[in-house]
Amino acid sequence: VVPDDQLSLAIGRRGQNVRLASQLTGKGIDIMTEADASEKRQREFVQRSEMFQNELDVDETLSQLLVAEGFTEMEEVAYVGIDELASIEGFDHELAAELQGRATEALERREAANREERRALGVEDALAEMPHLTEAMLVTLGKAGIKTLDDLADLATDELVLKKRVDPRRRRDAPEEKGGVLAEYGLSEEVGNEIIMAARAHWFADEESEGA
């Protein structure tokens, strides 16, 4: 995040500063102005507060307090140490336990709904046995037409997990660069490799059987 008048300098000519920093750190880097960052934080605060309010069935004040304390996902509420949750000002162990129970139930409802949608899309149950893949990810794969082990095995790792690059210099009428199918889930390249190799395992097993 940089001041508005430093954006071009931070990006560098033809994006060379961003590319070099990405290569040195091995991380994807997006640069935004302070105004953009502030707007993004406010938007995320509202979205997360509404999510907690709806799924935990709590009032607006409590949901906003969770976000202000750094909670961003339902999983964090469900699996954080209960003492940490109870230590929030105005909370106690009874409330913390109740919130964790509701968070767990909300995750179970999500998983069941995603499983139903995944099966309706025709995604094989075999994909649900792949490491690291959740039902939500399988729904995303199904919507992208990836429904069998062979479909998944045919992908290169970057086609699965590569993050979309945001180029501030891109013309508005230019096509937006696409990321991997599961880019939104923040999976690492190492995890992507694991998934792809697990999907290809049946190929090697078939070859061994034929050789035998």
Side-chain angles (χ1 to χ4, degrees):
V1 179
V2 299
D4 291 15
D5 60 356
Q6 296 293 308
L7 182 62
S8 296
L9 180 62
I11 293 171
R13 186 178 181 183
R14 298 181 180 176
Q16 63 183 3
N17 291 349
V18 177
R19 286 198 302 272
L20 177 58
S22 293
Q23 291 170 5
L24 291 173
T25 62
K27 303 291 183 182
I29 296 176
D30 293 333
I31 298 180
M32 63 181 69
T33 65
E34 292 173 339
D36 289 339
S38 176
E39 181 182 343
K40 180 174 181 286
R41 284 194 296 270
Q42 292 175 9
R43 184 171 61 251
E44 289 175 346
F45 187 92
V46 171
Q47 291 172 342
R48 289 164 179 167
S49 296
E50 290 177 347
M51 181 268 293
F52 285 132
Q53 186 175 355
N54 294 331
E55 299 213 36
L56 293 178
D57 191 22
V58 296
D59 62 28
E60 184 179 19
T61 301
L62 197 152
S63 67
Q64 290 181 350
L65 185 55
L66 284 171
V67 179
E69 288 290 328
F71 290 91
T72 60
E73 301 290 346
M74 196 64 62
E75 289 83 357
E76 295 171 349
V77 178
Y79 304 127
V80 71
I82 193 166
D83 288 340
E84 182 176 343
L85 197 57
S87 69
I88 296 175
E89 185 175 355
F91 283 26
D92 55 27
H93 278 79
E94 183 179 355
L95 177 56
E98 176 65 22
L99 288 175
Q100 287 202 322
R102 294 187 187 188
T104 300
E105 291 174 359
L107 291 174
E108 290 172 350
R109 289 195 300 270
R110 282 186 191 177
E111 193 77 352
N114 285 325
R115 184 180 302 110
E116 184 176 345
E117 184 176 2
R118 184 258 298 176
R119 287 174 173 167
L121 287 168
V123 178
E124 289 183 346
D125 286 341
L127 267 68
E129 300 175 5
M130 294 295 98
H132 308 293
L133 294 180
T134 64
E135 291 289 348
M137 293 178 190
L138 294 174
V139 169
T140 302
L141 289 174
K143 290 179 178 179
I146 300 165
K147 303 181 179 183
T148 69
L149 281 179
D150 285 338
D151 292 338
L152 182 57
D154 277 335
L155 295 179
T157 301
D158 60 352
E159 293 176 312
L160 184 67
V161 301
L162 181 68
K163 292 183 179 179
K164 180 172 64 177
R165 302 293 183 183
V166 179
D167 185 353
R169 297 172 296 106
R170 183 178 64 87
R171 300 194 321 273
R172 291 185 180 274
D173 59 343
E176 187 175 10
E177 185 179 348
K178 295 181 178 179
V181 181
L182 298 181
E184 65 185 282
Y185 296 97
L187 300 177
S188 67
E189 184 175 354
E190 182 180 0
V191 167
N193 286 333
E194 269 190 65
I195 295 171
I196 295 295
M197 294 309 297
R200 293 175 180 173
H202 72 289
W203 288 354
F204 305 131
D206 290 344
E207 290 176 359
E208 290 177 2
S209 297
E210 291 174 3

